[in-house]
Amino acid sequence: MTTPDRTRVSVEIYGTSYKLVGSSADYMRKIASYVDERMNAISKSNSRLDTPRIAVLAAVHMAEEAVQMQDLRNEVKML
């Protein structure tokens, strides 16, 4: 995945640094910020959860959003 059109960027998600590779540093920062926001929101409303559980719940919430968007796109295509 490390091709000339890929950019490497350091981001912080839920207090941990990660190096991400993508086509745009700004885009990767935006994605990391979104994940960080979701994890922090889950943590605030569920203070007893550990980090792996917070990460899984954030992933489930984001997957649900992705599936809902795909369903909406499919409905729009059928119109």
Side-chain angles (χ1 to χ4, degrees):
M1 185 184 240
T2 50
T3 59
D5 61 336
R6 296 292 191 193
T7 303
R8 198 175 283 269
V9 63
S10 293
V11 298
E12 189 169 309
I13 300 172
Y14 200 66
T16 302
S17 293
Y18 296 92
K19 290 190 188 296
L20 302 179
V21 177
S23 58
S24 163
D26 288 338
Y27 179 74
M28 298 311 295
R29 283 188 195 100
K30 182 177 179 180
I31 297 299
S33 176
Y34 183 66
V35 173
D36 184 62
E37 288 171 13
R38 293 304 298 248
M39 288 184 70
N40 280 298
I42 290 168
S43 175
K44 285 179 185 172
S45 58
N46 301 285
S47 61
R48 295 181 182 210
L49 293 178
D50 59 4
T51 301
R53 291 181 193 275
I54 292 168
V56 169
L57 285 175
V60 168
H61 287 246
M62 290 182 282
E64 179 183 23
E65 290 174 352
V67 169
Q68 288 173 350
M69 285 300 284
Q70 187 61 46
D71 289 347
L72 185 60
R73 282 188 196 117
N74 290 339
E75 286 180 32
V76 169
K77 283 181 184 178
M78 290 167 46
L79 295 177

